[in-house]
Amino acid sequence: MTGTDWAAWQRSWDRQQEWYMPDREERFRVMLDMVEALVGPKPRVLDLACGTGSITDRLLQRFPEATSTGVDLDPALLAIAEGYFAGDERVTFVTADLKDPAWARRLPHDTYDAVLTATALHWLHSEPLTVLYGQVAGLVRDGGVFMNADHMIDGATPRINAAERARRHARMDREKAAGVLDWADWWALAGEDPVLAEPTARRFEIYGEHADGDMPSPRWHADTLRAAGFGEARAVWASPSDTLLLAVK
Ligand SMILES: C[S@@+](CC[C@H](N)C(=O)[O-])C[C@H]1O[C@@H](n2cnc3c(N)ncnc32)[C@H](O)[C@@H]1O
């Protein structure tokens, strides 16, 4: 028993992520609307690159009969997830590198009704992401869904992209000046916590400071998912910078 307030860490992770994406909860809501619409209110879910398990948290609050497997590689975020969901038999966490060809073998199930992910797969370049989409297609049951909410850039609209980016960063700068914690500040706090310090040091050994991929367009994601074996794929929500892509097997 550590006495760590896991719910407080969970909330502070959410606040930090919301600095980048003020509409983060809205995308989670639409994601779960589409889960309900396509696979119903008792899904078996894979929360891919789950971090602290924010998607799993929203899923179980809304659909108490759902179950979730969270998979991630970050030992500090997984420590928060495991602390926060301790004792909840609906949830299992797995440590795996999504670039490891054998990662899916670590999962407790062969198939899922829904594979859900947010703000994570932009860490992978298109080539490993194409491989991952092929593996995900193998994990989603027929009639099941995959959803990815992430930063996706349409290279055909450079002026729109530059304008929205400038506006987004101006807002972030104002909020930062008012004291919001950014990614680096948040990790500095985790590194000072007696329980999180060790897994935080390990996560920096694994990832370094940053790991950005090439962030292809929504169309690329839809085409790649169809090529991987999904029958339909399109955006079901978008903000000026991000897209929620839904694919049905
Ligand atoms: C910005 S966080 C988002 C976490 C969570 N989905 C959320 O919305 O709060 C990105 C996550 O992707 C995970 N991730 C990135 N690359 C990964 C990889 N190769 N294998 C497993 N997880 C990975 C990171 O560890 C991190 O937890």
Side-chain angles (χ1 to χ4, degrees):
M1 188 63 218
T2 62
T4 302
D5 186 346
W6 297 116
W9 278 108
Q10 188 73 260
R11 279 194 302 275
S12 87
W13 171 260
D14 286 340
R15 294 298 88 78
Q16 179 251 108
Q17 288 287 294
E18 283 165 357
W19 176 60
Y20 298 93
M21 296 155 283
D23 43 30
R24 183 166 175 262
E25 290 300 326
E26 197 187 327
R27 70 190 68 190
F28 289 158
R29 177 183 62 74
V30 176
M31 188 181 264
L32 295 181
D33 284 348
M34 298 316 289
V35 164
E36 185 174 30
L38 284 147
V39 297
K42 301 179 191 176
R44 178 195 284 169
V45 167
L46 178 61
D47 183 350
L48 196 68
C50 62
T52 62
S54 299
I55 292 176
T56 294
D57 182 51
R58 286 21 167 214
L59 171 79
L60 297 178
Q61 281 180 28
R62 182 157 160 189
F63 305 122
E65 292 181 76
T67 58
S68 181
T69 306
V71 58
D72 204 286
L73 183 60
D74 187 312
L77 298 182
L78 280 173
I80 295 172
E82 277 162 0
Y84 180 74
F85 291 98
D88 190 331
E89 288 176 357
R90 298 168 297 178
V91 187
T92 311
F93 290 104
V94 171
T95 300
D97 183 348
L98 297 175
K99 290 187 199 159
D100 171 356
W103 71 270
R105 282 196 225 138
R106 296 182 184 222
L107 299 174
H109 306 288
D110 294 335
T111 61
Y112 287 86
D113 301 310
V115 177
L116 308 177
T117 187
T119 330
L121 300 189
H122 70 265
W123 291 37
L124 272 63
H125 283 270
S126 309
E127 212 173 295
L129 186 52
T130 302
V131 173
L132 180 64
Y133 276 176
Q135 294 165 324
V136 166
L139 286 166
V140 174
R141 69 152 165 91
D142 284 350
V145 295
F146 167 72
M147 276 182 259
N148 178 15
D150 206 357
H151 195 38
M152 300 180 189
I153 298 173
D154 185 341
T157 60
R159 279 184 296 164
I160 298 172
N161 302 352
E164 87 72 22
R165 188 175 190 283
R167 187 180 180 282
R168 180 159 41 91
H169 280 266
R171 175 195 56 78
M172 287 163 68
D173 289 347
R174 279 196 307 277
E175 292 180 7
K176 179 101 177 78
V180 163
L181 288 187
D182 69 8
W183 177 261
D185 300 331
W186 190 88
W187 281 110
L189 274 189
E192 288 163 14
D193 181 83
V195 176
L196 291 176
E198 188 276 329
T200 296
R202 267 193 291 136
R203 71 89 48 201
F204 278 98
E205 279 167 28
I206 293 168
Y207 287 120
E209 203 51 50
H210 239 268
D212 278 341
D214 43 5
M215 304 184 208
S217 67
R219 178 188 289 259
W220 180 91
H221 285 269
D223 289 348
T224 306
L225 287 162
R226 275 190 293 264
F230 288 91
E232 298 180 12
R234 71 163 168 90
V236 288
W237 176 91
S239 72
S241 60
D242 291 15
T243 298
L244 172 57
L245 217 296
L246 162 63
V248 183
K249 180 92 173 284

